[in-house]
Amino acid sequence: MRYKPDSIRHYYLEYMATEECKLQAEQSQVIVTGDEHAFGFVLQEKCNVSLQSNSMRSSGKVLCGETFLIPPDCRCAIDNSSASTAFMLIIRFQCSTSVPASGSPLQPFRLVEDFRLYTFRTPQARSWVQDFLGDIGRREPALFYQLQSHLYAMAAALMMIVQKPREMEKSLVEYVEQTRHYIMQHYSEPMDIEDIARLSGASPSRFYQAFRRQTGLSPHKFITKRRLDASLTLLAGSKSSVIEAAHSVGYPDEYYFSRMFKKHLGLTPTEFAARTKKRIACLSPVLRGDLSVLGITPELSLERGWVEQPEIPLKQIRQMEPELILAPPIPDDIHQELIQIAPVIVIPWKKYPWKERLLDISQLFDLQSVAEHWLSYFDMKVENARLHVRQHLGDDPVLLVHAADEHRFRVFGMQMKKMKDLFYDDLQVQPPEPAREIGALDVTSLSDVAAIDCDNILFLVGHAKSEDFCDHLALRWRQLRRSRGKKRCLFIRHDDPLLYNAAAHEGLVDQTVNHLMSKGS
């Protein structure tokens, strides 16, 4: 936005007239301005608005209660795509940089130089409707000055949006993250998204857009997904009844909950509980992450390295008496001992993509629809994250590096599935040319990483690492070559250890979007 700060206080607005605009379902109307401006205030329903002036065009959706600006010399097309009648006021006014001398004409001036669809909310606007409607067909001096007052208040609300968009956007990003965190923690409580949106300090439409940009989902879909995901864990193995699960995740009506469950997950809560009754021993944290997105929590979970001293783990497995054992590739002697305890499914997780593995695991429990539901939402998140990557990184190559500490680094290239299929394939981060021939390259110094010629770097860092660790790493990276002073050095947090499974990849996508949005450029 380009404006002249020293002249804003000299703007003079003169109210001209108010028009009613009623659009039946699927009806359109065109509003044309000459040298005057107009505010459109939507009283009922929502509309699609398109502005056109010469070769410039801007369009978007305007919701009930929002005001939008129609600049001078503009053709404004308003389309009501809803099934009900839309109603709005068109408030015309002129703008100049100073109060004209007596008898002199106004010298028109654009209130906003940028040509785009600006929408905003003025809390008192709805109470002014009768004042504006009272002006139609007659003109009274007292009413004119009252409408002048309303007009200036609307212009002030507009300029708050126009003059400080970056500061407001940063504040909105922080508010959306707070909202996301609140939903994750308090999903079982009643929530009024409209109230949450109003408290954002931005218009509800901007809040909804920002929430979708940050999470890949609308607020309502995000809440529904969070509640249904939580219900899976409660229902798995019949730990809770359907009524208990419904009430625990925020649905007081268990019948409504069951309908939602069946609609989204493809089976009823009772069917899901019956299919997850097996007592499971999971012998790999990688496989445990896949089970978790299906809502399944194993009776026993072992961490990496247990096969090096298998005596105690094998005793634990015998004691729990599992009905099914999920294991990574294991030595033959241990495998023989396990099959004496329960059926063993060996899953060679390194040999094929994690999405295929998730679907294969879901088939073991006849939960393919649950896996497909999860993957569909994951794909939405990825598509949204890809837009952020394109916006912030473009086609610039980025080197992907896991930083375990100051002396242990692993460079991920195109020859290793673990990170390639998420960052280089799904998110479409562009790899540097040397990375195309690399699988996983372990080095002990940042100088060795810098030897792989790439100006931009994305560090994968565990949540336990401090901000000082990241700041020091960024400083050292930029010092290795002066030309890198203005290049990108990004940090994506992850749970330790960094695993190749569904839950870990979802976390990495979320962290990537949050980091890029916090950078703002």
Side-chain angles (χ1 to χ4, degrees):
M1 159 59 194
R2 302 183 305 279
Y3 63 95
K4 300 177 177 62
D6 59 338
S7 66
I8 287 179
R9 64 180 180 274
H10 301 302
Y11 280 170
Y12 175 75
L13 308 182
E14 181 175 318
Y15 170 76
M16 294 175 61
T18 297
E19 305 162 14
E20 289 184 277
C21 178
K22 288 186 178 181
L23 298 177
Q24 301 299 323
E26 308 299 329
Q27 188 178 2
S28 300
Q29 183 168 332
V30 174
I31 305 295
V32 178
T33 55
D35 61 5
E36 83 279 9
H37 297 69
F39 282 132
F41 176 52
V42 181
L43 285 162
Q44 185 173 302
E45 282 301 330
K46 57 188 175 184
C47 297
N48 295 316
V49 174
S50 178
L51 306 177
Q52 184 173 358
S53 179
N54 298 324
S55 60
M56 297 180 292
R57 185 188 299 271
S58 182
S59 61
K61 184 175 291 184
V62 184
L63 302 181
C64 180
E66 288 187 328
T67 303
F68 62 96
L69 176 69
I70 307 175
D73 302 314
C74 180
R75 182 182 185 276
C76 173
I78 305 171
D79 175 45
N80 176 20
S81 58
S82 67
S84 302
T85 300
F87 179 36
M88 70 183 66
L89 299 182
I90 305 298
I91 304 163
R92 295 181 185 265
F93 63 96
Q94 287 190 317
C95 174
S96 67
T97 55
S98 61
V99 179
S102 178
S104 300
L106 281 170
Q107 297 299 315
F109 191 83
R110 283 185 175 270
L111 187 60
V112 177
E113 291 188 25
D114 286 350
F115 189 86
R116 54 169 281 195
L117 179 63
Y118 282 100
T119 62
F120 59 96
R121 286 181 182 263
T122 310
Q124 308 92 329
R126 195 167 287 276
S127 65
W128 301 336
V129 171
Q130 291 306 315
D131 295 337
F132 282 110
L133 289 175
D135 179 58
I136 296 177
R138 60 193 179 94
R139 175 62 60 91
E140 297 177 356
L143 180 57
F144 170 77
Y145 288 113
Q146 190 174 35
L147 298 181
Q148 280 283 94
S149 173
H150 299 340
L151 179 62
Y152 274 100
M154 297 171 85
L158 168 66
M159 297 310 290
M160 290 293 291
I161 298 292
V162 171
Q163 291 177 33
K164 297 182 179 180
R166 291 186 179 179
E167 289 83 352
M168 290 189 68
E169 186 65 24
K170 181 179 179 181
S171 174
L172 186 56
V173 167
E174 292 173 352
Y175 183 79
V176 167
E177 178 57 21
Q178 293 171 6
T179 301
R180 186 194 69 82
H181 183 74
Y182 180 83
I183 292 173
M184 293 297 292
Q185 299 297 320
H186 301 275
Y187 59 88
S188 61
E189 301 172 10
M191 291 188 190
D192 188 327
I193 293 300
E194 297 299 325
D195 281 345
I196 291 174
R198 280 191 288 271
L199 291 172
S200 70
S203 69
S205 62
R206 287 188 66 210
F207 170 78
Y208 282 108
Q209 290 168 2
F211 195 96
R212 186 183 292 277
R213 284 183 62 212
Q214 204 154 332
T215 66
L217 303 172
S218 70
H220 293 95
K221 284 186 177 180
F222 190 89
I223 292 173
T224 298
K225 182 179 185 302
R226 179 70 183 101
R227 287 174 169 173
L228 291 180
D229 286 349
S231 74
L232 295 179
T233 303
L234 294 172
L235 291 165
S238 301
K239 295 173 185 174
S240 300
S241 68
V242 173
I243 295 177
E244 290 170 339
H247 294 178
S248 295
V249 301
Y251 291 108
D253 183 346
E254 63 271 17
Y255 297 105
Y256 177 75
F257 164 71
S258 295
R259 290 196 300 272
M260 291 289 289
F261 196 100
K262 177 68 180 290
K263 174 184 175 182
H264 288 273
L265 299 173
L267 71 171
T268 67
T270 303
E271 290 170 336
F272 175 83
R275 295 176 190 183
T276 56
K277 271 188 174 182
K278 289 181 179 178
R279 292 168 53 81
I280 302 165
C282 180
L283 311 189
S284 166
V286 174
L287 304 179
R288 185 174 67 232
D290 294 326
L291 290 172
S292 69
V293 304
L294 299 175
I296 299 174
T297 302
E299 291 285 334
L300 175 67
S301 296
L302 299 183
E303 301 302 326
R304 292 188 297 185
W306 68 270
V307 294
E308 296 171 7
Q309 294 181 321
E311 293 80 11
I312 295 178
L314 286 172
K315 182 179 179 181
Q316 292 174 326
I317 296 170
R318 291 190 190 92
Q319 289 176 341
M320 72 155 285
E321 299 180 349
E323 297 174 71
L324 180 67
I325 299 173
L326 296 182
I330 48 179
D332 289 341
D333 57 335
I334 295 178
H335 186 270
Q336 289 301 317
E337 289 196 51
L338 289 174
I339 61 176
Q340 301 302 315
I341 302 172
V344 178
I345 303 294
V346 176
I347 301 176
W349 61 267
K350 291 184 179 181
K351 292 188 177 180
Y352 65 122
W354 67 271
K355 290 182 182 179
E356 294 181 25
R357 184 178 75 235
L358 177 62
L359 289 169
D360 287 349
I361 292 174
S362 72
Q363 289 181 2
L364 298 175
F365 304 93
D366 197 15
L367 297 177
Q368 298 94 315
S369 63
V370 177
E372 289 167 4
H373 162 82
W374 188 91
L375 287 170
S376 68
Y377 276 106
F378 179 82
D379 288 344
M380 290 182 193
K381 285 190 171 187
V382 166
E383 183 179 0
N384 176 64
R386 193 182 300 135
L387 295 175
H388 289 284
V389 169
R390 189 176 301 123
Q391 176 185 349
H392 293 276
L393 303 180
D395 293 327
D396 294 339
V398 179
L399 189 63
L400 188 62
V401 179
H402 179 240
D405 55 42
E406 293 186 1
H407 303 289
R408 288 188 299 154
F409 302 94
R410 171 168 286 190
V411 180
F412 290 112
M414 294 289 285
Q415 301 304 312
M416 186 175 186
K417 289 187 179 69
K418 184 172 184 178
M419 291 295 116
K420 168 188 174 291
D421 55 5
L422 177 64
F423 284 98
Y424 290 140
D425 292 345
D426 283 349
L427 300 185
Q428 296 180 2
V429 174
Q430 294 300 310
E433 199 60 36
R436 297 184 182 279
E437 307 303 322
I438 295 175
L441 177 64
D442 292 318
V443 297
T444 57
S445 76
L446 202 56
S447 298
D448 293 333
V449 176
I452 303 171
D453 192 23
C454 184
D455 287 334
N456 306 302
I457 191 165
L458 189 158
F459 286 110
L460 298 168
V461 180
H463 282 299
K465 291 289 186 292
S466 68
E467 288 299 321
D468 287 342
F469 172 81
C470 296
D471 292 342
H472 182 59
L473 203 58
L475 178 63
R476 286 177 57 209
W477 172 256
R478 292 188 172 107
Q479 287 174 340
L480 286 169
R481 191 185 297 177
R482 290 185 181 276
S483 66
R484 288 183 176 143
K486 295 183 179 180
K487 301 301 182 182
R488 297 178 181 87
C489 186
L490 309 176
F491 291 88
I492 307 301
R493 298 284 188 170
H494 65 82
D495 293 328
D496 284 317
L498 181 59
L499 299 174
Y500 182 59
N501 60 36
H505 276 51
E506 182 179 35
L508 289 171
V509 171
D510 291 340
Q511 288 293 323
T512 299
V513 172
N514 290 342
H515 182 76
L516 291 177
M517 292 195 73
S518 69
K519 289 299 177 184
S521 63

